Amino acid sequence: MTTKLIGEKVPRVEDERLLRGQGQYADDLMPGALETAVLRSPHAHARIVDIDVSGVLDVAGIHAVYTYDDLTGPMAEPLPLLIPHPTLTHGRTQYALAKETVRYVGEAIAFVVAEDRYLAEDAVSRIEVAYEVLPPVVGIDAARAAEHLVHDDVPGNLAARMEQRVGDAESAIAAAPHRLGLDLHVERSAAMPMEGRAVVARWDTDAHRLQVWTSTQTSTGVRAAVAAKLGLDLAQVDVMTPDVGGGFGVKIVHPWPEELLVPLAARALGRPVRFTEDRREHFISSAHERGQDQHVEVGFDDDGRVLGLAVRFWHDNGAYTPYGLIVPIITSTQLLGPYKPGAYSVVFDSLYTNTVIVTPYRGAGRPQGVYAMERTMDAIAKHLGKDRAEVRAVNFIQPDEFPYDHGLIFQDGRPLIYDSGDYPGLLAKLKRLIDWDDFETFRAACAAEGRRVGIGLACYVEGTGVGPYEGAHIGVETSGKVKVAIGLTSQGQGHQTALAQIVADELGVRFEDVEVVAGDTRRMPYAVGTFASRAAVMSGSAVALTARMVRAKALRLAAEALEADVDDLEIVDGVVRVKGSPSSRIELGTVAVLSNPLRYAFDEASQAATQFTVGDPGKPPVAEDDEPGLEGRDFYSPERSTFAAGMHAAVIEIDEDTCEITILRYAVVHDCGTLINPMIVEGQIHGGVAQGVGGALYERMEYDESGQLLNASFMDFLMPYVTEVPDGIELDHLETPSPLNPHGIKGAGEAGVIPAAALFAAAIEDAERIPIRSMPISPSELFELRRRHTDPTTSEEPPR
């Protein structure tokens, strides 16, 4: 009997191959391919006066050198602005190779193709470029001052200003019994996947087709961009995503210059060409995220209920805006979390700086928004002398208020309407898990031993499963095996396991008979991509709908073969049988044979479907409203996003002398609707918590005033080791299924990272009794804050 698999901790089918070193990444493909290297700008802002490549052209083993002047047609135009927005009045994107001006250290200027990487790198060092160095704009303060401009035609360095309002927040704040103002700062960080960007391309001169393998989060997006830029029909381009060594958002950006230049060179040279990014390149030429300055004004009553909330923030989008305003829009809307302020206004400026572009990194604007809101909640509690959990509870949206319409527009252009949730239930679980009510007893015991400890909590709501759509194709082989193709890509999320669980349940087949293929435009040419915690919601729903379609056809064909009524049939372990009469049965593989009327028999099984064996001579072999094969394709397109939620709590200890922070306990309660595979969800949360710890306590991008990234290596860019990540995360789930999709699923991919900065700021502040307004924070910064706090003669601002 088939066991229901949705909700079960099924071991991941992906792991054995990867753990045995049998993964295939882009750099493993096409042995003997020509290799490439990129000349990148050493200046943050400069005019290119001259490029001399003459020292390269006659070097043996060099096949091609490209600068902007070698690009023609669409390739000579700026890269796409992927997500336009009405308020993005001054959106700008870079060229595949810099034209006239470079605007950040690392911007691509020349592209060399050679027999091997050594020759390519040597050739790059021979290219001579004359620059006229221009004043750089580094940091939000410099961008706002606008003494210098990143783009001459963008006044005030202002890419966009956006405002949303619900009610009259300013009047509500002015009339409130209590008012507070906070100035907050979140520093830059970056995704840092183990594998950087990589792309391989091959041009088939006979078929006039281009094949591209790229480490991306959207194979269909890359396909469309390559076709448009190279002047090819979409049907001439195949894009396949091999194993991907991490994405975390940086690989949703497309096309990267190299994703166009490599196919361009492969077609021109008639040989496979490869680009593999090295680690320094990833630091200085791939995307960053997080950097914001925030000002919050809040008015509240004696219970801590928020009557009015006004937020103004400034977002550093780097030198260009290829991904539009997605990050600051998410900050401005997800900032509200599980709360319902009486009135709300938010205004943000998205500003150009002479630094690497800023695009979504796991969390994608939510960590900044949660930081603003949760710091505000803690400030209200402190002002009133109330328990921090109590203040949050009085502001919660209640379970009977769903669906809850915030009156705002979300990042997908749809209304910000929460579909389901139980925030009081989450908080109750979290308090029990972390022993919130007993913490003061623990603090007193630690104080008696000379130890300084603190506790914090942070709440969040995460918009997941954004549209516009995802699809799936499912086919049953004559062997009974089930082949599933989805269009989005996988970077370790466990899609092959979780989606197979859904198909096995929906179709009534064994889990081990289901095979899932992702990110191959030959198998599924229509898709959007993997981002915004959308895979389980979108592709999970698509495979469920498609499996139901295939199941219906299988039952119809089996009913004809068994001379039974469709309603009397069931599918169990890949066998269609009459309910209550299991001996009256037919294998699903046999149904697949019967679904395809044949003229020719190729084996014993196919003989059952030939013209003298089956069919009614008075009817067409394939009905007008049918098609051959036991297969189907369907798409899921939601009316709006689903909204997952969660709450984290942490107990920390701070060293009295060094200010080193040790995590003693870490608890998570999460609601992602129906759990497909709890083990995979827990793995996602654990990984997210690790990244959250890094973003709160270690990781930042350190630029100097000239726009040079000072810590562009793993020797200088700190990341947490296993010794810094919480050991034994205490985890619990609450399931409030979404009414918007077949299985009630919400996303979970970013849950672990979202509240970390707010959480650790709260715990540190609780331990030190010092306001924490800037994150991440290092031991040396905390030491300085402690010194300033205890020295009444110190008046200057604390370090940021």
Side-chain angles (χ1 to χ4, degrees):
M1 176 67 69
T2 299
T3 301
K4 285 294 182 183
L5 292 170
I6 293 176
E8 295 300 315
K9 292 186 174 183
V10 177
R12 288 171 26 128
V13 299
E14 300 92 336
D15 291 346
E16 181 175 353
R17 179 176 61 85
L18 296 172
L19 291 171
R20 291 182 180 279
Q22 296 169 352
Q24 274 211 317
Y25 301 87
D27 195 54
D28 298 320
L29 306 175
M30 293 289 162
L34 299 177
E35 300 281 357
T36 63
V38 181
L39 174 66
R40 302 188 184 278
S41 171
H43 302 291
H45 199 192
R47 189 167 291 112
I48 298 172
V49 177
D50 182 61
I51 304 177
D52 183 359
V53 300
S54 60
V56 178
L57 299 179
D58 295 330
V59 175
I62 303 300
H63 289 263
V65 181
Y66 294 91
T67 67
Y68 174 79
D69 290 341
D70 299 301
L71 305 180
T72 60
M75 279 293 295
E77 299 170 359
L79 299 181
L81 200 167
L82 293 169
I83 309 178
H85 192 277
T87 64
L88 184 56
T89 54
H90 293 79
R92 298 291 183 270
T93 61
Q94 70 187 82
Y95 293 86
L97 294 170
K99 177 187 179 183
E100 299 175 354
T101 304
V102 289
R103 294 184 172 86
Y104 64 91
V105 172
E107 186 164 358
I109 296 173
F111 184 72
V112 175
V113 186
E115 278 294 327
D116 58 46
R117 181 69 175 263
Y118 299 99
L119 282 170
E121 295 283 1
D122 288 345
V124 161
S125 68
R126 291 170 175 253
I127 299 173
E128 297 182 0
V129 183
Y131 299 95
E132 177 191 342
V133 178
L134 303 172
V137 177
V138 182
I140 291 173
D141 290 343
R144 291 178 64 187
E147 294 178 7
H148 305 289
L149 298 179
V150 176
H151 300 270
D152 292 339
D153 59 346
V154 179
N157 294 310
L158 185 63
R161 174 170 292 161
M162 185 173 176
E163 177 177 342
Q164 294 201 66
R165 293 180 177 273
V166 180
D168 186 345
E170 288 73 15
S171 296
I173 294 168
H178 307 277
R179 294 179 295 277
L180 287 173
L182 291 83
D183 288 299
L184 305 167
H185 176 73
V186 180
E187 187 53 85
R188 270 191 181 220
S189 187
M192 293 299 145
M194 286 193 292
E195 178 202 32
R197 298 180 292 110
V199 57
V200 188
R202 176 176 63 187
W203 174 254
D204 187 326
T205 55
D206 295 324
H208 294 280
R209 293 185 66 83
L210 182 68
Q211 290 183 306
V212 181
W213 294 263
T214 181
S215 183
T216 184
Q217 293 174 229
T218 172
S219 54
T220 52
V222 172
R223 180 193 190 209
V226 169
K229 285 293 188 180
L230 270 60
L232 296 169
D233 293 335
L234 201 59
Q236 288 180 274
V237 182
D238 299 321
V239 175
M240 289 70 70
T241 303
D243 290 321
V244 176
F248 309 118
V250 68
K251 294 176 184 178
I252 192 59
V253 180
H254 63 283
W256 290 101
E258 298 84 1
E259 286 177 319
L260 301 175
L261 295 166
V262 166
L264 176 74
R267 184 173 66 166
L269 299 172
R271 288 186 59 181
V273 177
R274 177 189 1 262
F275 164 77
T276 303
E277 181 184 63
D278 65 33
R279 184 53 58 182
R280 176 169 171 78
E281 284 182 300
H282 190 78
F283 270 98
I284 66 171
S285 62
S286 291
H288 300 167
E289 214 235 273
R290 298 287 193 264
Q292 286 182 4
D293 284 350
Q294 306 166 334
H295 179 72
V296 180
E297 297 282 343
V298 63
F300 49 97
D301 65 17
D302 293 342
D303 293 323
R305 187 173 289 104
V306 175
L307 305 175
L309 179 67
V311 178
R312 183 82 166 88
F313 70 90
W314 296 265
H315 173 76
D316 179 352
N317 58 231
Y320 302 101
T321 54
Y323 214 72
L325 300 175
I326 293 301
V327 171
I329 289 174
I330 293 175
T331 298
S332 67
T333 52
Q334 298 279 258
L335 181 149
L336 294 175
Y339 311 115
K340 49 177 181 180
Y344 176 58
S345 71
V346 60
V347 181
F348 69 76
D349 289 353
S350 192
L351 299 162
Y352 287 111
T353 60
N354 288 116
T355 56
V356 173
I357 63 172
V358 168
T359 63
Y361 158 41
R362 194 177 193 175
R366 296 176 188 86
Q368 300 96 305
V370 170
Y371 180 67
M373 191 74 239
E374 295 301 293
R375 292 279 67 212
T376 301
M377 286 292 169
D378 287 339
I380 292 171
K382 180 179 179 181
H383 180 84
L384 295 175
K386 287 184 173 292
D387 184 283
R388 288 170 285 170
E390 180 184 335
V391 168
R392 286 166 169 82
V394 300
N395 286 284
F396 280 157
I397 299 163
Q398 297 301 306
D400 62 359
E401 295 182 279
F402 291 96
Y404 189 87
D405 189 346
H406 273 293
L408 301 171
I409 300 300
F410 191 42
Q411 62 131 322
D412 55 0
R414 304 280 173 146
L416 185 71
I417 301 175
Y418 292 178
D419 50 333
S420 66
D422 180 0
Y423 307 140
L426 284 171
L427 182 60
K429 278 178 172 281
L430 184 72
K431 289 175 68 176
R432 287 195 297 270
L433 206 58
I434 200 69
D435 297 320
W436 179 268
D437 293 334
D438 296 328
F439 180 73
E440 290 307 321
T441 302
F442 176 72
R443 190 201 302 272
C446 289
E449 299 173 357
R451 298 168 60 196
R452 188 185 302 225
V453 297
I455 191 170
L457 82 161
C459 311
Y460 62 92
V461 171
E462 178 192 0
T464 73
V466 298
Y469 70 89
E470 285 298 337
H473 178 274
I474 297 177
V476 179
E477 299 283 336
T478 57
S479 64
K481 300 291 185 181
V482 180
K483 307 294 185 181
V484 182
I486 58 170
L488 53 67
T489 63
S490 181
Q491 301 88 47
Q493 296 92 337
H495 296 160
Q496 288 176 279
T497 304
L499 298 182
Q501 288 177 248
I502 294 175
V503 172
D505 273 5
E506 289 283 357
L507 197 50
V509 298
R510 298 185 307 164
F511 173 80
E512 54 268 30
D513 287 338
V514 182
E515 176 189 282
V516 179
V517 174
D520 186 338
T521 63
R522 298 169 300 181
R523 299 282 300 274
M524 177 52 68
Y526 297 102
V528 181
T530 303
F531 58 94
S533 301
R534 69 191 297 273
V537 177
M538 300 299 297
S539 284
S541 298
V543 299
L545 295 174
T546 307
R548 291 175 187 180
M549 176 188 298
V550 174
R551 176 186 173 87
K553 183 172 183 177
L555 291 174
R556 175 171 54 81
L557 292 171
E560 295 174 4
L562 296 172
E563 297 181 341
D565 190 277
V566 167
D567 293 335
D568 293 333
L569 299 180
E570 61 183 357
I571 307 178
V572 178
D573 287 339
V575 176
V576 187
R577 66 189 191 186
V578 177
K579 298 173 185 175
S581 180
S583 61
S584 183
R585 53 189 280 159
I586 184 172
E587 299 282 338
L588 200 58
T590 305
V591 178
V593 172
L594 298 176
S595 71
N596 182 24
L598 296 172
R599 181 175 179 83
Y600 308 109
F602 305 105
D603 54 25
E604 186 174 345
S606 61
Q607 292 178 16
T610 53
Q611 58 193 17
F612 293 110
T613 307
V614 297
D616 184 341
K619 296 180 181 179
V622 179
E624 290 184 8
D625 60 347
D626 204 356
E627 59 185 34
L630 186 52
E631 59 183 307
R633 184 172 76 166
D634 204 355
F635 293 84
Y636 170 70
S637 182
E639 57 184 279
R640 61 180 188 274
S641 298
T642 60
F643 287 86
M647 300 179 188
H648 293 204
V651 176
I652 64 165
E653 181 173 356
I654 303 177
D655 188 275
E656 289 288 348
D657 298 318
T658 67
C659 289
E660 289 281 346
I661 297 166
T662 301
I663 303 168
L664 302 180
R665 294 181 66 186
Y666 198 106
V668 177
V669 180
H670 187 248
D671 174 12
C672 60
T674 303
L675 291 166
I676 304 171
N677 186 320
M679 183 168 58
I680 288 177
V681 172
E682 289 165 12
Q684 289 278 5
I685 291 172
H686 284 201
V689 167
Q691 282 185 302
V693 170
L697 303 179
Y698 301 99
E699 301 168 4
R700 72 181 73 201
M701 292 296 178
E702 291 278 6
Y703 278 99
D704 67 13
E705 65 279 0
S706 66
Q708 296 291 333
L709 186 60
L710 300 179
N711 59 337
S713 77
F714 284 157
M715 290 188 294
D716 303 303
F717 179 82
L718 297 180
M719 293 192 297
Y721 297 158
V722 68
T723 49
E724 281 77 51
V725 176
D727 183 21
I729 296 171
E730 300 165 73
L731 182 59
D732 198 0
H733 300 284
L734 183 122
E735 296 184 53
T736 62
S738 171
L740 301 179
N741 59 72
H743 283 288
I745 301 166
K746 305 176 190 178
E750 296 166 275
V753 75
I754 291 170
L759 173 64
F760 285 106
I764 294 166
E765 186 172 290
D766 181 60
E768 295 284 344
R769 300 295 193 259
I770 300 172
I772 303 298
R773 298 290 184 261
S774 180
M775 293 294 280
I777 189 167
S778 67
S780 58
E781 288 168 330
L782 181 55
F783 185 91
E784 180 65 11
L785 278 175
R786 187 189 283 177
R787 185 188 70 79
R788 291 171 183 272
H789 187 69
T790 57
D791 184 355
T793 65
T794 303
S795 59
E796 66 266 29
E797 288 293 314
R800 192 175 80 175

